[in-house]
Amino acid sequence: MPVAVLSRVAIAVAGAGGVSRPGIWTRLEKVPEFRAGNRFYPLPCLLAIGLCALSAAGHDGIDAIAQWVGRASEAELVRLRVPRDPFTRRPRCPSASTIRRALMGVDPDALVEAVLAPDAPRRDEADIETTPAARVCAARAPVMGAVALDGKSCRGARRGDGTRVHLVGAVTHGDGLLVGHVEVDRKSNETTAFQPLLAPMDLADTVVTFDALHSVRANLEWLVTAKKAHYLAVIKANQPRLFAQLKALPWADIPVADVTRDHGHGRDETRTVKVTTVDRLDFPHAAQVIRIHRWRRESGTAPSRQTVYAVTDLTFHQAGGVLLGDLARSHWHVENKAHYTRDVSFREDHSTVRTGNAPMNLATLRSAVINALRQVGYALVPPGRRDHTTPTAALDLHSFP
């Protein structure tokens, strides 16, 4: 089998198929052109090459993308709309420097909108994930159910001043799809990215979960009033007065709402959830307080205990202890489903690309491939990247538009 044969995800991109979303070429064509003067390669062509190359196992960076397209057959290059050389009349493969310049200059927000932003509506009501975390306010037909905010540093992308490229993303609970991310300004922190990240999204009746760093009153007020969303905010000692108030609640008198036990990989874990209603808490739209006590024991180590407090604007009638506990637990899984996958499957932390918009645009393309693989049923990304068709099937599966 030829090395450059198109993977199933690549076929859908090259054939404008529906693995990632219908009309991927149409979406890529909406990414604004930034180059001036003579442009031999159309920008959608270069972006499609990046998507297809990253969907193949072992092709994780810009040089690998150039190697992948350099080994592609003429038929595959035609599918990717690669222009023909005016003298030889054969498709001319772009160089690594051409691909690098394109990724450096492409508007990162436009690329996110093209390949990550969910369609509106993202799913029919009948297709909404049936996991407890995704059934948030099911009677009110949520658009996305629940999304988690989490930050990630690209460890290898160290700038000249020593800082690293840092991204904050929004990932759906349950299926772990990245639906948007923004780069944090080097002179700021993640909290300033909260509103720019969520502003373009339709979050009506969606629960947004995040850790203590994002539990900022102004952002939560905006989230509830402007976006009509709900929140589950973890509170830690970085807000000492509020943390002390939550800790001082009469938890001994509050009944246990839910208990879950897990055992696997040499670890035992028990989570006990208690929930109480509040009406005078100095926190925007606070309706309930959650206390989660975790007891954990790993093979060969002493047991550990941890108590976590959180606040939500969801009322008791909208979400009870079981659902709130599931939301909190699902949030902790986001790290494995999104960021850990990019690091392990695409070696993102080893990438030293740091110039212009290239780090974020590469992360966007990697996430688009992960989303596509999960949407067609792959629980793990590596098997999907290794799943290639024969050259004949690659040409026949979808007609070239």
Side-chain angles (χ1 to χ4, degrees):
M1 182 181 294
V3 176
V5 68
L6 293 176
S7 70
R8 293 194 177 196
V9 172
I11 289 171
V13 174
V19 171
S20 175
R21 60 187 71 251
I24 186 66
W25 278 105
T26 303
R27 284 177 168 265
L28 291 178
E29 287 168 352
K30 293 180 180 179
V31 177
E33 179 60 76
F34 67 94
R35 299 168 297 175
N38 184 27
R39 301 186 295 266
F40 183 78
Y41 295 99
L43 187 58
C45 166
L46 297 175
L47 297 176
I49 288 172
L51 273 174
C52 291
L54 290 171
S55 73
H59 299 82
D60 303 325
I62 293 176
D63 290 334
I65 293 173
Q67 291 173 351
W68 180 89
V69 73
R71 293 193 297 267
S73 67
E74 182 172 350
E76 290 165 350
L77 294 175
V78 170
R79 288 178 63 94
L80 290 166
R81 305 186 182 183
V82 175
R84 294 183 181 273
D85 187 287
F87 301 103
T88 66
R89 304 308 302 166
R90 297 176 62 86
R92 183 199 296 176
C93 296
S95 64
S97 60
T98 298
I99 297 170
R100 182 176 289 105
R101 287 194 298 269
L103 292 175
M104 286 169 50
V106 166
D107 181 352
D109 295 333
L111 186 59
V112 167
E113 178 68 23
V115 300
L116 290 183
D119 298 318
R122 181 172 174 267
R123 298 175 182 168
D124 294 331
E125 184 175 356
D127 296 331
I128 292 177
E129 188 73 31
T130 58
T131 59
R135 291 200 298 267
V136 180
C137 307
R140 301 171 67 178
V143 175
M144 289 190 291
V147 297
L149 262 66
D150 197 24
K152 180 187 183 303
S153 290
C154 301
R155 299 183 185 278
R158 189 182 293 274
R159 303 185 183 96
D161 59 1
T163 60
R164 292 188 176 97
V165 175
H166 191 79
L167 308 175
V168 178
V171 182
T172 60
H173 283 228
D175 45 17
L177 304 181
L178 185 74
V179 293
H181 60 178
V182 296
E183 184 175 350
V184 178
D185 186 271
R186 69 182 68 185
K187 296 182 180 179
S188 185
N189 57 41
E190 287 188 22
T191 59
T192 59
F194 188 94
Q195 293 189 28
L197 170 62
L198 298 179
M201 301 181 187
D202 182 3
L203 296 175
D205 297 322
T206 300
V207 179
V208 182
T209 64
F210 38 84
D211 58 23
L213 181 64
H214 291 285
S215 298
V216 178
R217 285 169 167 80
N219 286 341
L220 301 189
E221 181 68 36
W222 170 84
L223 184 67
V224 174
T225 58
K227 302 299 293 182
K228 310 301 180 186
H230 303 286
Y231 67 81
L232 181 67
V234 173
I235 306 298
K236 292 185 178 180
N238 60 333
Q239 299 190 59
R241 182 176 177 181
L242 179 60
F243 182 78
Q245 286 181 291
L246 303 186
K247 189 176 181 180
L249 291 171
W251 294 109
D253 301 328
I254 298 172
V256 173
D258 185 43
V259 177
T260 57
R261 295 179 175 87
D262 285 334
H263 174 76
H265 304 288
R267 183 178 68 183
D268 295 302
E269 184 174 279
T270 301
R271 290 173 298 276
T272 304
V273 179
K274 290 187 174 184
V275 181
T276 184
T277 300
V278 292
D279 57 3
R280 296 183 180 179
L281 192 67
D282 183 22
F283 205 68
H285 306 279
Q288 296 187 91
V289 175
I290 306 99
R291 191 193 77 165
I292 303 173
H293 182 77
R294 293 202 295 261
W295 178 92
R296 180 181 300 171
R297 180 179 61 191
E298 296 191 24
S299 178
T301 63
S304 63
R305 300 176 185 271
Q306 181 185 24
T307 301
V308 177
Y309 298 95
V311 180
T312 182
D313 69 310
L314 290 165
T315 65
F316 173 77
H317 298 289
Q318 293 174 310
V322 174
L323 182 54
L324 293 174
D326 287 338
L327 281 169
R329 184 183 179 190
S330 182
H331 175 83
W332 296 325
H333 291 173
V334 165
E335 175 69 24
N336 289 334
K337 291 187 176 181
H339 301 158
Y340 180 79
T341 300
R342 292 215 308 264
D343 287 339
V344 173
S345 295
F346 294 88
R347 297 175 56 83
E348 185 167 278
D349 274 354
H350 292 80
S351 173
T352 57
V353 176
R354 65 186 186 187
T355 309
N357 300 325
M360 180 170 172
N361 287 331
L362 273 173
T364 298
L365 296 181
R366 293 172 184 137
S367 298
V369 172
I370 294 171
N371 289 359
L373 291 172
R374 287 192 171 137
Q375 286 173 324
V376 296
Y378 289 101
L380 301 174
V381 170
R385 297 182 78 195
R386 292 192 297 264
D387 188 358
H388 292 69
T389 66
T390 64
T392 302
L395 296 176
D396 294 342
L397 183 58
H398 291 286
S399 60
F400 183 72

